[in-house]
Amino acid sequence: MIKVIHCTVNGMPKEIAVDEQESLTDMLRQRLGLTSVKKGCEAGECGACTVLIDGVAKNSCIYLAVWADGHEIITVEGIRGKNGLLHPVQQAFVDEAAIQCGFCTPGLVLTGVELVNSGKKYTREELREKISGHLCRCTGYENILNALEKVVGIHS
């Protein structure tokens, strides 16, 4: 069954007809062309599809598009500043060489954005737990943690 939803995606109001069984990942990629949202495990276990929904990092592969009705969705395409500069989390990933193949990067960056926006300080161990839902096969996580420490700050 098709349902029309209204949501905001990367700051732009959208009216989209979606199938009730369609995932948010598919809506974002196929209907809106937002390819930073990756299709990985499609079971909510790898984090490649992470987006911000009302500021909270969520796996879009297990989130139905119809549930996005009335919500704000942010993908990596939507976090750049108006002046075109990289978001501080993106810049920290570049500075700390926390990127190799890049498949997991958008989801990790958006989780980092949620952490930055929380205003909290985290220990390295807390950051490790916060990114535990993301699978990265290239970087070994240390540079990712370094980047997050750099931008989020740490407490002892």
Side-chain angles (χ1 to χ4, degrees):
M1 180 172 231
I2 302 297
K3 180 177 179 186
V4 175
I5 65 166
H6 299 86
C7 58
T8 302
V9 179
N10 295 332
M12 302 293 294
K14 300 288 182 184
E15 179 179 279
I16 307 165
V18 297
D19 184 281
E20 288 184 341
Q21 299 300 310
E22 185 175 352
S23 72
L24 183 58
T25 301
D26 287 339
M27 182 193 87
L28 294 168
R29 287 183 61 81
Q30 295 172 4
R31 298 184 188 278
L32 300 179
L34 299 169
T35 57
S36 73
V37 183
K38 303 298 185 212
K39 287 184 92 168
C41 69
E42 296 189 67
E45 296 179 5
C46 74
C49 65
T50 300
V51 298
L52 296 177
I53 302 173
D54 297 331
V56 178
K58 300 220 183 234
N59 292 319
S60 65
C61 71
I62 58 172
Y63 192 95
L64 293 176
V66 294
W67 297 343
D69 194 30
H71 295 281
E72 178 184 27
I73 312 301
I74 303 289
T75 68
V76 164
E77 291 91 345
I79 64 170
R80 277 197 163 188
K82 289 184 178 18
N83 58 5
L85 295 177
L86 293 177
H87 186 281
V89 175
Q90 290 173 304
Q91 189 60 56
F93 271 62
V94 170
D95 294 346
E96 296 300 322
I99 302 165
Q100 284 190 27
C101 83
F103 193 81
C104 68
T105 305
L108 281 158
V109 165
L110 289 169
T111 295
V113 170
E114 177 190 13
L115 297 175
V116 167
N117 291 345
S118 76
K120 298 176 186 173
K121 302 287 185 203
Y122 298 91
T123 65
R124 191 170 182 90
E125 199 52 45
E126 289 169 328
L127 290 173
R128 190 179 307 279
E129 183 200 322
K130 295 289 184 186
I131 66 168
S132 65
H134 294 272
L135 296 179
C136 175
R137 292 174 180 91
C138 300
T139 67
Y141 296 99
E142 292 308 307
N143 290 356
I144 294 168
L145 288 167
N146 293 342
L148 291 173
E149 279 183 348
K150 180 177 189 173
V151 74
V152 175
I154 58 171
H155 67 79
S156 306

